[in-house]
Amino acid sequence: MPARRRTPPPAGRLALGAWSRGEATRAEVTTAVRFTLEELADVAPGSSVEVRVPPAGAVQAVEGPRHTRGTPPNVVETDPETWLGLVTGRLAWDDAVADGRVRASGERADLSPLLPLQAARER
């Protein structure tokens, strides 16, 4: 089942473009993060990994065992700027993990094969 879209793709692309140019407002950064989280859920549907980008949003993605209660076994958490850097290809997954900008736990929490996102690279 594809992720339910809450962010209209045109609005998400505009916000991502503003972020890429360094002109994004806080609301646009939030929109860009939510849009790219929804894109991740589209390209990697599932519910075995919870990707958290507080305070902007979170999504469950990646095929595998479904998580239903408590702390998920596979969690990725980062801040909005790091997330947008990862999805656009401006920042490498391994560098972000090594620097502590991404906290990833669980055997399915390595998102490097999915990043950068094609929709975000087109900015």
Side-chain angles (χ1 to χ4, degrees), residues 78-104:
T78 190
D79 62 273
E81 288 296 316
T82 300
W83 175 251
L84 293 174
L86 290 166
V87 299
T88 59
R90 292 183 178 184
L91 178 61
W93 175 263
D94 291 339
D95 293 340
V97 170
D99 292 347
R101 291 183 275 175
V102 168
R103 290 162 305 288

Side-chain angles (χ1 to χ4, degrees), residues 6-89:
R6 294 184 179 177
T7 307
R13 288 186 199 96
L14 284 173
L16 192 56
W19 178 85
S20 292
R21 293 185 305 276
E23 302 169 355
T25 64
R26 183 175 178 177
E28 288 170 320
V29 170
T30 298
T31 298
V33 169
R34 288 180 180 161
F35 168 67
T36 55
L37 286 170
E38 292 164 2
E39 286 292 313
L40 175 68
D42 273 355
V43 299
S47 55
S48 69
V49 178
E50 186 165 294
V51 182
R52 302 172 181 166
V53 185
V59 70
Q60 289 190 353
V62 183
E63 192 174 310
R66 180 170 177 77
H67 162 73
T68 56
R69 284 194 205 178
T71 302
N74 300 287
V75 176
V76 173
E77 187 166 344
T78 190
D79 62 273
E81 288 296 316
T82 300
W83 175 251
L84 293 174
L86 290 166
V87 299
T88 59

